[in-house]
Amino acid sequence: MEDIEDLLIGGGGAPPGYRLPITAVGVKPKKKNLFKSNPSADDSSNQPSPTQNPLVPKIPGTQTIYVKTFGCSHNQSDSEYMAGQLSAFGYLLSDNPEDADLWLINTCTVKSPSQSAMDTLITKCKNAKKPLVVAGCVPQGSRDLKELEGVSIVGVQQIDRVVEVVEETLKGHEVRLLNRKTLPALDLPKVRKNKFIEILPINVGCLGACTYCKTKHARGHLGSYTVDSLVKRVRSVINEGVREIWLSSEDTGAYGRDIGVNLPILLNAIVAELPPDASTMLRIGMTNPPFILEHLKEIAKVLSHPCVYSFLHVPVQSGSDAILSAMNREYTVSEFRTVVDTLTELVPGMQIATDIICGFPGETDEDFCETINLIKEYNLPQVHISQFYPRPGTPAARMKKVPSAIVKKRSRELTSVFEAFTPYNGMEGRVERIWITEIAADGIHLVGHTKGYIQVLVIAPETMLGTSAMAKITSIGRWSVFGEVIETISTKHHKTTLEDTLTRDKVSPCSNTHETCACSTEPESCACELGSCKGAVSVGDEVDSSRNIPLPEEPKRKNLIEWVLRRRKSQVMPKREETENPIVTERKQTLAGGRLDEWGVVDMILVGGILISTFTIFGLLFHVGSTTLSSSW
């Protein structure tokens, strides 16, 4: 059907975040009437009452929405914006698809597995007879897919109108919003997955034309937000208590080239707004080499700032110039080296992540050997390794493919090389400032990051989320390090000390360096590049970001019992059958050395109190019983 813009009365539209009058929305009614309890009944029959017919629609804005997100941090931000608008209009958000009245799937088109997961989810939703809205890069870049027939669609630049689409879809209509020439506003309501982290899109699209990339088909040509609008957003989220700001886009380095500015101008404007006590940190997103070569010294100066993580994701994709040319990456291996060498020289503690595609069409053994040598030379701590996925409609999909067996062999070989690195050796005993913003996947550790964005796992009360602390590195793992909090850092926003925190929770500081390793969860970086820049390697596997569903965080009780239970959980972990892999093996080994039967003072006090209370109750019962018997005689 036509896009909704072609059907609007008067050609106007609603301001961002507001509903259009229903009469002004062009919709395509579905053939089946979802609101009849008996489809075979005559049309003139009386409509059943809501109590008789469970399919009668509820009052708009009262339904429950299940949101599932695939892909990059930009996609995650889009989901948070859509969740925010739906929540602002009264809809409830749920992470349980069975309880939801409608499913909203935000898709990623980078890899074939991601789109396959979307297809499976759409089929599951249709089988469950749930209303469905599909958003993201897949419908935007491939709107004629058979799987999208009869499904409502929200385009990547139409996220500010998700409420309209959801309302009409719940009525049984099919709505498609895809075409637009302006960017969604940055000040829309937003429900963050993590209240301490703001994912800030600085531009959409890119200036590249990589032969393997499908995202360009969806996100389009470069479109940048103005410096003023981004600075205004930064001020706002800092006041809301955000402690990390992630700049996100398909290519951060290309920012502003369409509006007459550049990345250093934006970065300097944002840094000027950050609190001088470094209570809020800035993380710069993925940057391709071509667009930062002319700004390396300015960017290095920003990365050295106390309020900016000394970390950058710079994809190289291949160590062979011939393959880079076939990819149309618009830089050489030598230029990549220039970026890495310059930033490493000028920025103390600089950490760089990169991406590699194994088995690109035409890649020879010699080409792959050059990639291996490049990765060995730089010994980078974070490398994301992907097998080549031909995406329909891209030039690379028409190129002669490398046999899949060879592609898999190469990805395994490169993974073995990378996993042999020990990037965190020498950190034991060092004291680092860390910024704590997440609870680890195991529910035991809190996740902090050093200035170089190295992940540090600590055991501490949840009241330390959103704070900064000094931590001593006590041991290292392959994907992260373990630390012990020494003291919290008093800031303008968090005037607490370690003593204050521990007194409030009535516990003593502890850090068990032998606990199970628990990496924090993050959305993938860069929709244009193949995957994330996490320390853990993913060899051709798609990251499912369903864990990133943007739901409102419920307040968590901060009391003695909860903290002790968390501590006991950290000391006695249940045995689980797990698929063996290097990460699990490491976790089991570290757990084996854990203190499984050590009782702390608080534990003994609690048990003693329980025993005393029990004996007291028995004593009272005995006394009452004796008195009653005496009086009866």
PDB file of all heavy atoms in Angstrom, residues 115-136:
ATOM      1  N   GLN A 115      17.997 -10.933  10.297  1.00  0.00           N
ATOM      2  CA  GLN A 115      16.751 -10.916   9.545  1.00  0.00           C
ATOM      3  C   GLN A 115      16.014 -12.251   9.686  1.00  0.00           C
ATOM      4  O   GLN A 115      14.786 -12.281   9.718  1.00  0.00           O
ATOM      5  CB  GLN A 115      17.019 -10.608   8.075  1.00  0.00           C
ATOM      6  CG  GLN A 115      15.765 -10.301   7.285  1.00  0.00           C
ATOM      7  CD  GLN A 115      16.048  -9.493   6.036  1.00  0.00           C
ATOM      8  OE1 GLN A 115      16.938  -8.652   6.016  1.00  0.00           O
ATOM      9  NE2 GLN A 115      15.292  -9.754   4.991  1.00  0.00           N
ATOM     10  N   SER A 116      16.757 -13.333   9.784  1.00  0.00           N
ATOM     11  CA  SER A 116      16.114 -14.637   9.995  1.00  0.00           C
ATOM     12  C   SER A 116      15.408 -14.676  11.343  1.00  0.00           C
ATOM     13  O   SER A 116      14.300 -15.228  11.463  1.00  0.00           O
ATOM     14  CB  SER A 116      17.164 -15.758   9.925  1.00  0.00           C
ATOM     15  OG  SER A 116      17.741 -15.816   8.648  1.00  0.00           O
ATOM     16  N   ALA A 117      16.043 -14.076  12.355  1.00  0.00           N
ATOM     17  CA  ALA A 117      15.407 -14.013  13.672  1.00  0.00           C
ATOM     18  C   ALA A 117      14.133 -13.187  13.601  1.00  0.00           C
ATOM     19  O   ALA A 117      13.127 -13.515  14.246  1.00  0.00           O
ATOM     20  CB  ALA A 117      16.368 -13.420  14.696  1.00  0.00           C
ATOM     21  N   MET A 118      14.173 -12.107  12.822  1.00  0.00           N
ATOM     22  CA  MET A 118      12.971 -11.296  12.643  1.00  0.00           C
ATOM     23  C   MET A 118      11.866 -12.115  11.979  1.00  0.00           C
ATOM     24  O   MET A 118      10.709 -12.071  12.410  1.00  0.00           O
ATOM     25  CB  MET A 118      13.288 -10.073  11.785  1.00  0.00           C
ATOM     26  CG  MET A 118      12.098  -9.163  11.531  1.00  0.00           C
ATOM     27  SD  MET A 118      12.205  -8.232   9.979  1.00  0.00           S
ATOM     28  CE  MET A 118      11.877  -9.533   8.767  1.00  0.00           C
ATOM     29  N   ASP A 119      12.208 -12.860  10.934  1.00  0.00           N
ATOM     30  CA  ASP A 119      11.213 -13.684  10.237  1.00  0.00           C
ATOM     31  C   ASP A 119      10.560 -14.679  11.200  1.00  0.00           C
ATOM     32  O   ASP A 119       9.338 -14.871  11.189  1.00  0.00           O
ATOM     33  CB  ASP A 119      11.869 -14.434   9.080  1.00  0.00           C
ATOM     34  CG  ASP A 119      12.404 -13.495   8.004  1.00  0.00           C
ATOM     35  OD1 ASP A 119      11.985 -12.318   7.994  1.00  0.00           O
ATOM     36  OD2 ASP A 119      13.226 -13.940   7.188  1.00  0.00           O
ATOM     37  N   THR A 120      11.400 -15.310  12.024  1.00  0.00           N
ATOM     38  CA  THR A 120      10.880 -16.285  12.986  1.00  0.00           C
ATOM     39  C   THR A 120       9.933 -15.630  13.979  1.00  0.00           C
ATOM     40  O   THR A 120       8.868 -16.174  14.309  1.00  0.00           O
ATOM     41  CB  THR A 120      12.044 -16.952  13.744  1.00  0.00           C
ATOM     42  OG1 THR A 120      12.899 -17.607  12.802  1.00  0.00           O
ATOM     43  CG2 THR A 120      11.534 -17.958  14.752  1.00  0.00           C
ATOM     44  N   LEU A 121      10.312 -14.440  14.444  1.00  0.00           N
ATOM     45  CA  LEU A 121       9.495 -13.742  15.425  1.00  0.00           C
ATOM     46  C   LEU A 121       8.168 -13.287  14.814  1.00  0.00           C
ATOM     47  O   LEU A 121       7.113 -13.352  15.468  1.00  0.00           O
ATOM     48  CB  LEU A 121      10.263 -12.540  15.966  1.00  0.00           C
ATOM     49  CG  LEU A 121       9.799 -11.994  17.315  1.00  0.00           C
ATOM     50  CD1 LEU A 121       9.876 -13.059  18.392  1.00  0.00           C
ATOM     51  CD2 LEU A 121      10.637 -10.793  17.718  1.00  0.00           C
ATOM     52  N   ILE A 122       8.207 -12.831  13.569  1.00  0.00           N
ATOM     53  CA  ILE A 122       6.969 -12.413  12.890  1.00  0.00           C
ATOM     54  C   ILE A 122       6.024 -13.603  12.756  1.00  0.00           C
ATOM     55  O   ILE A 122       4.818 -13.500  13.010  1.00  0.00           O
ATOM     56  CB  ILE A 122       7.285 -11.795  11.523  1.00  0.00           C
ATOM     57  CG1 ILE A 122       7.923 -10.416  11.698  1.00  0.00           C
ATOM     58  CG2 ILE A 122       6.027 -11.679  10.674  1.00  0.00           C
ATOM     59  CD1 ILE A 122       8.352  -9.777  10.401  1.00  0.00           C
ATOM     60  N   THR A 123       6.570 -14.759  12.362  1.00  0.00           N
ATOM     61  CA  THR A 123       5.748 -15.966  12.233  1.00  0.00           C
ATOM     62  C   THR A 123       5.136 -16.353  13.571  1.00  0.00           C
ATOM     63  O   THR A 123       3.945 -16.697  13.660  1.00  0.00           O
ATOM     64  CB  THR A 123       6.598 -17.128  11.687  1.00  0.00           C
ATOM     65  OG1 THR A 123       7.126 -16.760  10.403  1.00  0.00           O
ATOM     66  CG2 THR A 123       5.775 -18.391  11.560  1.00  0.00           C
ATOM     67  N   LYS A 124       5.947 -16.277  14.627  1.00  0.00           N
ATOM     68  CA  LYS A 124       5.459 -16.610  15.961  1.00  0.00           C
ATOM     69  C   LYS A 124       4.339 -15.661  16.383  1.00  0.00           C
ATOM     70  O   LYS A 124       3.326 -16.072  16.963  1.00  0.00           O
ATOM     71  CB  LYS A 124       6.612 -16.547  16.967  1.00  0.00           C
ATOM     72  CG  LYS A 124       6.221 -16.941  18.378  1.00  0.00           C
ATOM     73  CD  LYS A 124       7.426 -16.898  19.301  1.00  0.00           C
ATOM     74  CE  LYS A 124       7.026 -17.270  20.725  1.00  0.00           C
ATOM     75  NZ  LYS A 124       8.199 -17.220  21.649  1.00  0.00           N
ATOM     76  N   CYS A 125       4.525 -14.376  16.060  1.00  0.00           N
ATOM     77  CA  CYS A 125       3.518 -13.374  16.425  1.00  0.00           C
ATOM     78  C   CYS A 125       2.207 -13.619  15.677  1.00  0.00           C
ATOM     79  O   CYS A 125       1.119 -13.548  16.256  1.00  0.00           O
ATOM     80  CB  CYS A 125       4.053 -11.978  16.121  1.00  0.00           C
ATOM     81  SG  CYS A 125       2.971 -10.640  16.651  1.00  0.00           S
ATOM     82  N   LYS A 126       2.320 -13.928  14.383  1.00  0.00           N
ATOM     83  CA  LYS A 126       1.114 -14.188  13.591  1.00  0.00           C
ATOM     84  C   LYS A 126       0.400 -15.439  14.081  1.00  0.00           C
ATOM     85  O   LYS A 126      -0.835 -15.473  14.149  1.00  0.00           O
ATOM     86  CB  LYS A 126       1.488 -14.319  12.115  1.00  0.00           C
ATOM     87  CG  LYS A 126       1.899 -13.000  11.465  1.00  0.00           C
ATOM     88  CD  LYS A 126       2.256 -13.185   9.993  1.00  0.00           C
ATOM     89  CE  LYS A 126       2.598 -11.859   9.332  1.00  0.00           C
ATOM     90  NZ  LYS A 126       2.980 -12.035   7.905  1.00  0.00           N
ATOM     91  N   ASN A 127       1.168 -16.455  14.435  1.00  0.00           N
ATOM     92  CA  ASN A 127       0.556 -17.683  14.952  1.00  0.00           C
ATOM     93  C   ASN A 127      -0.167 -17.439  16.275  1.00  0.00           C
ATOM     94  O   ASN A 127      -1.164 -18.082  16.581  1.00  0.00           O
ATOM     95  CB  ASN A 127       1.609 -18.777  15.121  1.00  0.00           C
ATOM     96  CG  ASN A 127       2.133 -19.283  13.792  1.00  0.00           C
ATOM     97  OD1 ASN A 127       1.472 -19.141  12.762  1.00  0.00           O
ATOM     98  ND2 ASN A 127       3.323 -19.871  13.799  1.00  0.00           N
ATOM     99  N   ALA A 128       0.376 -16.492  17.058  1.00  0.00           N
ATOM    100  CA  ALA A 128      -0.257 -16.149  18.333  1.00  0.00           C
ATOM    101  C   ALA A 128      -1.411 -15.172  18.153  1.00  0.00           C
ATOM    102  O   ALA A 128      -2.060 -14.800  19.133  1.00  0.00           O
ATOM    103  CB  ALA A 128       0.779 -15.554  19.274  1.00  0.00           C
ATOM    104  N   LYS A 129      -1.634 -14.757  16.874  1.00  0.00           N
ATOM    105  CA  LYS A 129      -2.720 -13.825  16.540  1.00  0.00           C
ATOM    106  C   LYS A 129      -2.599 -12.513  17.310  1.00  0.00           C
ATOM    107  O   LYS A 129      -3.582 -11.971  17.823  1.00  0.00           O
ATOM    108  CB  LYS A 129      -4.080 -14.477  16.775  1.00  0.00           C
ATOM    109  CG  LYS A 129      -4.306 -15.758  15.982  1.00  0.00           C
ATOM    110  CD  LYS A 129      -5.718 -16.250  16.093  1.00  0.00           C
ATOM    111  CE  LYS A 129      -5.899 -17.613  15.399  1.00  0.00           C
ATOM    112  NZ  LYS A 129      -5.393 -17.636  14.020  1.00  0.00           N
ATOM    113  N   LYS A 130      -1.349 -12.047  17.402  1.00  0.00           N
ATOM    114  CA  LYS A 130      -1.084 -10.774  18.075  1.00  0.00           C
ATOM    115  C   LYS A 130      -0.916  -9.673  17.030  1.00  0.00           C
ATOM    116  O   LYS A 130      -0.263  -9.886  16.000  1.00  0.00           O
ATOM    117  CB  LYS A 130       0.198 -10.868  18.911  1.00  0.00           C
ATOM    118  CG  LYS A 130       0.179 -11.912  20.010  1.00  0.00           C
ATOM    119  CD  LYS A 130      -0.470 -11.381  21.268  1.00  0.00           C
ATOM    120  CE  LYS A 130      -0.287 -12.362  22.417  1.00  0.00           C
ATOM    121  NZ  LYS A 130      -0.881 -11.843  23.673  1.00  0.00           N
ATOM    122  N   PRO A 131      -1.463  -8.473  17.257  1.00  0.00           N
ATOM    123  CA  PRO A 131      -1.153  -7.346  16.385  1.00  0.00           C
ATOM    124  C   PRO A 131       0.350  -7.082  16.393  1.00  0.00           C
ATOM    125  O   PRO A 131       1.009  -7.226  17.432  1.00  0.00           O
ATOM    126  CB  PRO A 131      -1.937  -6.187  17.012  1.00  0.00           C
ATOM    127  CG  PRO A 131      -3.002  -6.834  17.816  1.00  0.00           C
ATOM    128  CD  PRO A 131      -2.414  -8.117  18.324  1.00  0.00           C
ATOM    129  N   LEU A 132       0.903  -6.685  15.235  1.00  0.00           N
ATOM    130  CA  LEU A 132       2.352  -6.561  15.096  1.00  0.00           C
ATOM    131  C   LEU A 132       2.736  -5.274  14.388  1.00  0.00           C
ATOM    132  O   LEU A 132       2.137  -4.900  13.376  1.00  0.00           O
ATOM    133  CB  LEU A 132       2.904  -7.767  14.317  1.00  0.00           C
ATOM    134  CG  LEU A 132       4.379  -7.753  13.934  1.00  0.00           C
ATOM    135  CD1 LEU A 132       5.260  -7.784  15.177  1.00  0.00           C
ATOM    136  CD2 LEU A 132       4.705  -8.934  13.029  1.00  0.00           C
ATOM    137  N   VAL A 133       3.752  -4.601  14.931  1.00  0.00           N
ATOM    138  CA  VAL A 133       4.367  -3.449  14.281  1.00  0.00           C
ATOM    139  C   VAL A 133       5.859  -3.742  14.154  1.00  0.00           C
ATOM    140  O   VAL A 133       6.508  -4.122  15.131  1.00  0.00           O
ATOM    141  CB  VAL A 133       4.156  -2.153  15.092  1.00  0.00           C
ATOM    142  CG1 VAL A 133       4.907  -0.992  14.440  1.00  0.00           C
ATOM    143  CG2 VAL A 133       2.671  -1.821  15.206  1.00  0.00           C
ATOM    144  N   VAL A 134       6.393  -3.575  12.942  1.00  0.00           N
ATOM    145  CA  VAL A 134       7.814  -3.813  12.697  1.00  0.00           C
ATOM    146  C   VAL A 134       8.486  -2.474  12.402  1.00  0.00           C
ATOM    147  O   VAL A 134       8.012  -1.696  11.571  1.00  0.00           O
ATOM    148  CB  VAL A 134       8.035  -4.788  11.526  1.00  0.00           C
ATOM    149  CG1 VAL A 134       9.525  -4.958  11.250  1.00  0.00           C
ATOM    150  CG2 VAL A 134       7.402  -6.137  11.837  1.00  0.00           C
ATOM    151  N   ALA A 135       9.580  -2.204  13.089  1.00  0.00           N
ATOM    152  CA  ALA A 135      10.333  -0.965  12.913  1.00  0.00           C
ATOM    153  C   ALA A 135      11.766  -1.306  12.534  1.00  0.00           C
ATOM    154  O   ALA A 135      12.157  -2.468  12.456  1.00  0.00           O
ATOM    155  CB  ALA A 135      10.297  -0.148  14.203  1.00  0.00           C
ATOM    156  N   GLY A 136      12.569  -0.284  12.276  1.00  0.00           N
ATOM    157  CA  GLY A 136      13.991  -0.487  12.064  1.00  0.00           C
ATOM    158  C   GLY A 136      14.414  -0.608  10.616  1.00  0.00           C
ATOM    159  O   GLY A 136      13.676  -0.285   9.685  1.00  0.00           O
TER     160      GLY A 136
END
